[in-house]
Amino acid sequence: MTHHPQSSPQFYLTAPTLCPYLESQFERKIFAHLVDGKAAELNDHLSQSGFRRSQNIAYRPACETCHACISVRVLVKEFNRARSMQRVWLRNRNLISSAHKAQASTEQFTLFRRYVDARHRAGGMSDMGILEYAMMVEDTHVNTQVIEYRRRRPGPLTDKTSDGVLVAAALTDVMTDGLSMVYSFYDPDDRGTSLGTLMILDHINRAQALKLPYVYLGYWVEGSRKMQYKIRFTPQEHLGINGWERRG
């Protein structure tokens, strides 16, 4: 029998379930618990190996017949906005972004529910209540922030985030080599402003300011229209059998 030191993570495998991204496919995940004390270090190592965090669990796909999920991270130092992205940035000049500790609010939850009901009504979060939302945000043993985006009301510019209407938010882990966008959501009625793109651009700016080399975007799922936006942010790296490889 092989004995593992207690500091080594124990990995588990889920049973097959229907894939939420590709029809007629089943997904399985391998996961480990992020234990307090070693959680931040373990989360860093696992994220660099293609894992994602959900509360105090790190997971990655372990599907038997499909390998469409590809971990993606943006090369921050070399990133230059395309013209279309620069237009998005300028279009949202009246947005104020601010980082807060990982604490849920009723205002966030109201926006989250509107987003899920409009965009992911059949998804796994469709029946999430405020207590489950609070756990998603606050149940973390790593350095996690909530980045809020507020549309400033007309009038003199102030530094009070309460002077704007909350239109988007991102749950973000601050790691030793980058920012990991765990989950983000936005006002589905704020049309023509491309808030999803705006949040990624803002995270790239934040990583540059912190001198962090990467922004982790999670999984790009080849063949899924929902995930196509992720490969627009170049140059980036994809994790494959030979490690992280440059794309774009």
Side-chain angles (χ1 to χ4, degrees):
M1 178 181 294
T2 301
H3 294 277
H4 299 277
Q6 281 195 321
S7 59
S8 297
Q10 299 297 303
F11 292 93
Y12 306 89
L13 189 64
T14 65
T17 58
L18 283 174
C19 177
Y21 300 109
L22 300 176
E23 293 184 7
S24 304
Q25 292 286 354
F26 287 84
E27 70 169 359
R28 300 189 77 178
K29 295 176 182 176
I30 185 171
F31 69 94
H33 294 281
L34 298 171
V35 181
D36 193 10
K38 294 279 188 179
E41 180 182 359
L42 181 58
N43 187 53
D44 277 12
H45 289 319
L46 292 179
S47 295
Q48 292 159 10
S49 299
F51 281 71
R52 297 286 288 165
R53 186 184 69 81
S54 176
Q55 294 176 236
N56 287 312
I57 290 176
Y59 69 90
R60 67 171 295 172
C63 307
E64 297 175 0
T65 61
C66 177
H67 303 284
C69 292
I70 307 294
S71 293
V72 173
R73 64 187 186 186
V74 180
L75 294 168
V76 167
K77 189 174 182 180
E78 300 178 57
F79 177 79
N80 285 302
R81 296 177 198 154
R83 287 185 179 180
S84 60
M85 293 179 183
Q86 181 65 12
R87 288 195 293 269
V88 169
W89 187 261
L90 294 175
R91 198 180 303 142
N92 289 283
R93 286 191 299 264
N94 64 341
L95 276 190
I96 302 170
S97 70
S98 56
H100 306 268
K101 66 179 183 179
Q103 186 170 345
S105 70
T106 302
E107 186 182 26
Q108 292 169 17
F109 176 71
T110 300
L111 180 62
F112 167 80
R113 281 289 357 149
R114 290 178 55 211
Y115 172 78
V116 171
D117 290 343
R119 299 297 182 97
H120 303 286
R121 185 179 294 272
M125 295 182 174
S126 60
D127 59 351
M128 184 179 286
I130 191 167
L131 292 180
E132 291 85 0
Y133 173 77
M135 288 180 64
M136 180 180 78
V137 173
E138 299 175 6
D139 192 9
T140 174
H141 291 317
V142 304
N143 184 3
T144 303
Q145 299 178 339
V146 175
I147 314 296
E148 292 187 344
Y149 299 84
R150 296 177 179 273
R151 198 167 294 289
R152 186 168 62 86
R153 296 186 178 95
L157 180 65
T158 76
D159 60 354
K160 297 180 180 178
T161 58
S162 59
D163 285 351
V165 177
L166 184 68
V167 295
L171 186 64
T172 302
D173 288 346
V174 182
M175 305 190 303
T176 56
D177 70 342
L179 300 179
S180 176
M181 298 184 70
V182 176
Y183 190 78
S184 58
F185 53 93
Y186 53 86
D187 185 350
D189 297 325
D190 201 315
R191 302 185 186 281
T193 53
S194 303
L195 288 172
T197 296
L198 183 281
M199 282 190 282
I200 296 175
L201 294 176
D202 180 66
H203 276 69
I204 293 171
N205 274 11
R206 289 175 177 274
Q208 288 173 339
L210 293 169
K211 300 189 185 308
L212 297 173
Y214 306 113
V215 170
Y216 288 80
L217 298 182
Y219 301 118
W220 167 57
V221 184
E222 188 172 7
S224 172
R225 292 179 60 189
K226 294 179 183 179
M227 296 294 182
Q228 283 301 109
Y229 72 93
K230 294 187 179 183
I231 58 174
R232 296 174 52 230
F233 297 86
T234 56
Q236 60 184 224
E237 292 181 339
H238 293 186
L239 184 60
I241 58 175
N242 296 317
W244 290 98
E245 296 181 320
R246 184 187 177 101
R247 295 286 189 276

